[in-house]
Structure formats: structure tokens, C-alpha cells
Amino acid sequence: MESRSASPAQGLQGYEQALHSSESMKTKPVRAPRLHPRMRVLRGDDIALGPGKVDLLALIGETGSIREAAERMGMSYMRAWTLIKTMNACFREPLVVASRGGKERGGAMLTKTGRRALKLYRGLEVQSLKACADTWRQLRQLLTD
Amino acid sequence: MESRSASPAQGLQGYEQALHSSESMKTKPVRAPRLHPRMRVLRGDDIALGPGKVDLLALIGETGSIREAAERMGMSYMRAWTLIKTMNACFREPLVVASRGGKERGGAMLTKTGRRALKLYRGLEVQSLKACADTWRQLRQLLTD
């Protein structure tokens, strides 16, 4: 298993985090107000998809490992499995399956449905932001800089 | 102070809650998958507005009382004040002010900016849902009923 600091993807994640939390920036902090649409997909009483579950899906797709994905998100392996079990149960076909017999034990991958759900969810986020642009501009003017 | 069950607005709120959580329905539970855009407005490291803060704003506008609004949301008075302080600090003008000298001590009201922020935020929710309709239809087909 790679160490956290040695992973290029971890470095990228750190960069993205810096955009959201300016504490780690050495230059002028990024403080502009931002709108973040956190789309929640509900099925019965379950949250089928939300920002955290979708980030986990993306990282499993990227790393091929639940353990690695959980580690990058700072969550326990058990917590990641609980989220995956909920997601898989909410969809007609599972989004994540264990890939046994590969090079690495404990590997996992997104199914076709998993990749499609991830793509559609990211589409929701983009479409939401786009549709909100004008109203957000008005709301933003009420905020302090 | 009105009793909770006697308030028509509370009755309406109860109805809206039933649409989201089917437990209180006596007929066939409402189980259809739902998309809920939870818009988050960030200013620096603060969440200036989110679903909880906006519900609190709406209830203060409706009841004229922070205590009553907090009670209806099942949160402590102190917690409500903390949320209000954060909101007020994020905007150029406060969203909520205490209304002293009225009939009821501890009364509060939305400012013009508060009413405008509430209206714009609700607009974001509606516009987001509308823009997502087509992609949501596709994503929904992947979910179990």
C-alpha cells in the first residue's frame, strides 16, 4: 500500500481541499463566496447517493481499492463498506463489486451501473450550478467579501 | 406562545414532513425515490446558508420568535443563536434582528435582507430541481422502486 503522502492523487486531493479551505494556501487566501450544490438522492429512508458516497465511488474507480479509497477520505474501512452496502441495496444492480483474484487482494471496482450513476450524479451537480448562476449572483451580492 | 399542534403552519410543516418521511402516513407509504438539492453557500470557512439555517430563517419569519423556531426544529435556543450569529456575520446586513419592546419578550424578525436571502435561496432550490429533471429521470431508473 502506498503511503498517503507519496500518492500523486493524494497530492491532487490536497490541492482541491486547499481550494475549499484556504488555511493551507501561502498566498492570498481564496475567500470568494461559493455555492456548493450537495445533491441528495433518497430512496425510502435511505440516502442512496450524496456528496460523500459519490466521492467514495470516484475514489474506488480511481484506486481499485476500497481500503485505499477509505484511507484517502479519512474514513474507516468498515464505514466505507457500510456506505457501499447502502448504495448497492438502493440500486437495481450493485455500483461496487469486489474484484477477487486480481493482483491485489481486497480490490474493488465500479460496475457499469456504478460508472453511470457517478457520471449522472456529476451531471446533476454541473446542471444545478449552471441553472443557479443568475440567482447566485444576486445572493452573493448580499454576502460580505 | 401557541401550542405546537394548534398552529396551522405547524400542521402544514407536518404535512411537508410526511412527504419526506413516510412513517406518519397511514395509507401506502410514499417511497418513490426523491432528489433533494441541499444548496450550501460558503463564505470563507463558514457555511453562510444551508438547508438547516434556511429552515430556521423561515420559521423565525413565520413565528417571530427564535425560541419557538428552535423548538419546532428540535434544536436548543443556544444552537439557534449560534446559527443566527454565523449567518448575520456572513452578510453585509444581518438577516435576523431581535425585536425588543414588542408584545413578546425574546421576539425576533427577519430584516429585508433576511427575507431576500430566504427567497433567493428557495429560488436556488427550485431552479436546481428544474434543471436536473432530465438527468434525474435517468438516474432514477437505475434505482430500485
Side-chain angles (χ1 to χ4, degrees):
Chain A
M1 192 180 292
E2 294 175 301
S3 79
R4 296 187 60 160
S5 58
S7 158
Q10 178 64 25
L12 181 63
Q13 192 189 29
Y15 174 73
E16 283 168 354
Q17 279 170 355
L19 288 176
H20 287 272
S21 141
S22 58
E23 262 40 61
S24 61
M25 304 286 279
K26 282 177 187 169
T27 52
K28 196 183 175 203
V30 177
R31 287 252 163 214
R34 310 178 292 297
L35 179 65
H36 188 190
R38 295 164 61 85
M39 311 305 284
R40 183 176 273 185
V41 174
L42 297 151
R43 192 197 128 276
D45 295 329
D46 288 324
I47 301 171
L49 289 179
K53 288 193 176 84
V54 168
D55 285 349
L56 180 63
L57 275 188
L59 280 167
I60 290 169
E62 194 182 297
T63 64
S65 159
I66 293 168
R67 194 172 298 279
E68 175 75 9
E71 197 175 287
R72 291 203 193 171
M73 290 189 71
M75 76 173 57
S76 71
Y77 182 74
M78 279 305 292
R79 171 76 181 147
W81 252 119
T82 302
L83 298 181
I84 292 166
K85 273 191 286 186
T86 301
M87 283 190 273
N88 282 353
C90 287
F91 284 82
R92 294 183 190 278
E93 291 170 19
L95 305 189
V96 176
V97 289
S99 58
R100 297 175 198 285
K103 268 191 287 188
E104 194 190 339
R105 271 215 286 185
M109 55 186 287
L110 301 190
T111 61
K112 191 179 169 189
T113 301
R115 291 192 301 275
R116 184 156 165 74
L118 174 59
K119 191 177 173 186
L120 288 170
Y121 185 94
R122 294 304 190 203
L124 293 177
E125 291 179 319
V126 171
Q127 288 153 18
S128 171
L129 266 182
K130 203 171 161 187
C132 289
D134 185 59
T135 303
W136 166 234
R137 205 172 296 124
Q138 295 175 61
L139 181 56
R140 188 181 163 151
Q141 285 169 2
L142 303 180
L143 291 158
T144 57
D145 290 328
Chain B
M1 191 181 292
E2 294 175 299
S3 80
R4 298 186 59 163
S5 58
S7 158
Q10 177 65 22
L12 181 63
Q13 193 192 29
Y15 173 72
E16 284 169 353
Q17 280 170 353
L19 287 175
H20 286 273
S21 140
S22 59
E23 262 40 62
S24 61
M25 305 287 278
K26 281 176 188 170
T27 52
K28 194 183 173 201
V30 177
R31 287 253 164 213
R34 311 177 294 295
L35 179 64
H36 189 190
R38 296 163 60 85
M39 311 305 284
R40 183 176 274 184
V41 174
L42 297 151
R43 192 197 130 276
D45 294 329
D46 289 322
I47 301 171
L49 289 179
K53 288 193 175 83
V54 168
D55 285 349
L56 181 63
L57 275 188
L59 280 167
I60 290 169
E62 196 181 295
T63 64
S65 158
I66 293 169
R67 194 173 298 280
E68 175 74 9
E71 195 176 285
R72 290 204 193 170
M73 290 190 70
M75 75 172 55
S76 72
Y77 182 75
M78 280 303 294
R79 172 76 182 148
W81 252 118
T82 302
L83 298 181
I84 291 166
K85 274 191 286 187
T86 300
M87 283 190 271
N88 282 353
C90 287
F91 283 83
R92 294 183 190 277
E93 291 170 19
L95 304 190
V96 177
V97 289
S99 57
R100 296 175 199 284
K103 270 190 287 188
E104 194 190 340
R105 272 215 285 184
M109 55 186 288
L110 301 190
T111 61
K112 191 180 167 187
T113 301
R115 290 192 300 276
R116 186 156 163 72
L118 174 59
K119 191 177 172 184
L120 288 169
Y121 185 95
R122 294 303 190 204
L124 293 176
E125 292 180 318
V126 171
Q127 287 152 20
S128 170
L129 266 183
K130 203 171 160 185
C132 289
D134 186 59
T135 303
W136 167 234
R137 205 171 297 124
Q138 294 175 62
L139 181 56
R140 188 182 163 152
Q141 285 171 2
L142 303 180
L143 291 159
T144 57
D145 290 326

